[in-house]
Amino acid sequence: MKRKSHIITIAGAGSARVPALLGNLIEYKDRFPVSKIIMYDIDNERMGQMEAYDRLVLKCYYPEAEIVFTTDAETAYSKTDFIFCQMRVGKGEMRSNDEKIPLKYGLVGQETCGPGGFSYGMRSLQGMKEMVEKVRSYSKETWILNYTNPAAIVALGLDRMFPEDKRILNLCDQPYSLLKSYAKILEVDQEELVPKYFGLNHFGWFTDLKDKAGNDLFEKLRTYLRDHDFQPFNAEQRAKSWLDTYVRVNKYMKFFDEYIPTTYMQYYMFADEIVEESDPEYTRADEAKDGREKEVFETCKSAEGKTTMEGIEMLTNSVFGKLMVEVAESIAYDLNNPFVVMVKNNGLITNFPAEAIVEVDGTIGKDGAKGNYVGEIKPFYKGLMEGQYAYELLTVEAFMEKSYTKALQALTLNRTVISPVKAKMVLDDLMSVSKDFWVLEK
């Protein structure tokens, strides 16, 4: 039976990830058919660099789907079923500041963790607040699938600002990506894996892993990670800085091998050595611009003036795009498929604040995400999570109240900073370049 088709909006269509997302929509066209794709971005020039490719690939492989490019919010949001949102407020220039300014003070320079994550979070909160208000002025029913980072801060902030809105779903592809890597190590299909997981976004642990038949795979995986360097499933495509990120999972497990951490835990556990290895003049913002973005733009440029895809690579994404489409599919047809989800705690972790947005294994269906019960967590993990949650909460409150004091408290609590002296220096420096996006009152 043919499934009902949908209208979707891609908000942030100037992202270099979008051409590959279209490839995933083509790949999943029978599972999640769409009749119209609205490409929306406030930066028409950047979006335009990919328009020829976007139009050509859909004409060749998805002619039944209408495509619209727009910079008009009403066109983008007034008549759509799903919004795939992955905005980067401030674009690459502000990402570069987020990564380089902390390094000046011997602090981790990373876009979602530490001071960079704080700064990015402040911009994203403002951008997402405006977006949700705009979308809801047209429709209460549209699903907002939010991929905007830092997901933990954005998810908590949206819950505080729009507590009754049940059609905002915050997403992160990192657990999905890790499971893909585990599947390759274990030589099984990713769809066969049944994980147990808890934490906060970019700050959590896999605690168990079975296949659908109930066979335990966790001990085999844990043993492998003790004896072999951890590599992502697509290691041959990754820059050295990304490969180092995975190997530090091995290092973490030399100290604490009970659970398997997310790769982002490295920034909180080994901050000093990461700073030592970082180049304050060339960070991942530069890597992305000179690597993945350049390749995507060159591929898209090759489509200009063409009427067929002959000789042009069809871009797809094995993690980001697949997750986005699979989540929409699970909502649209009430499949209640398993995912690692971000949800309000409400007793899932019994000894953790009920109002916190936690990340746990769960399911997604027509009513959104539901997390599976975790129970009581041990003091070590509880202590780590409480400190991180306090940082996230104070960041959200600093944004909502324009409070310099709470921003300073947030950064001082962050495990990558700790020193109030450094927290103040980096906060003041970040503020000085962020006046167009956020302002705090002392």
Side-chain angles (χ1 to χ4, degrees), residues 296-311:
V296 169
F297 287 139
E298 286 176 352
T299 298
C300 291
K301 188 171 179 59
S302 70
E304 293 177 2
K306 301 292 179 62
T307 57
T308 73
M309 288 289 289
E310 184 178 354

Side-chain angles (χ1 to χ4, degrees), residues 241-256:
S241 65
W242 276 107
L243 298 179
D244 291 343
T245 295
Y246 280 76
V247 171
R248 284 201 179 89
V249 169
N250 300 109
K251 181 167 184 174
Y252 170 99
M253 293 184 71
K254 285 182 168 61
F255 296 94
F256 313 108

Side-chain angles (χ1 to χ4, degrees), residues 314-334:
M314 181 173 166
L315 301 170
T316 60
N317 188 289
S318 54
V319 175
F320 160 76
K322 279 193 171 184
L323 175 63
M324 189 77 87
V325 180
E326 287 178 13
V327 166
E329 175 198 25
S330 202
I331 293 172
Y333 312 110
D334 197 26

Side-chain angles (χ1 to χ4, degrees), residues 178-197:
L178 285 172
L179 286 168
K180 195 171 187 69
S181 299
Y182 299 160
K184 184 174 182 179
I185 290 169
L186 296 166
E187 299 180 326
V188 300
D189 291 335
Q190 183 180 354
E191 293 73 21
E192 284 296 306
L193 297 180
V194 181
K196 293 296 293 180
Y197 178 98

Side-chain angles (χ1 to χ4, degrees), residues 213-260:
N215 298 307
D216 176 47
L217 300 174
F218 190 72
E219 191 56 40
K220 180 179 179 181
L221 179 62
R222 192 166 56 169
T223 300
Y224 178 93
L225 293 176
R226 279 197 292 254
D227 299 335
H228 303 81
D229 283 353
F230 184 26
Q231 292 191 329
F233 68 93
N234 57 349
E236 67 283 351
Q237 301 170 23
R238 295 292 190 102
K240 183 180 182 298
S241 65
W242 276 107
L243 298 179
D244 291 343
T245 295
Y246 280 76
V247 171
R248 284 201 179 89
V249 169
N250 300 109
K251 181 167 184 174
Y252 170 99
M253 293 184 71
K254 285 182 168 61
F255 296 94
F256 313 108
D257 68 351
E258 182 180 22
Y259 302 146
I260 300 172

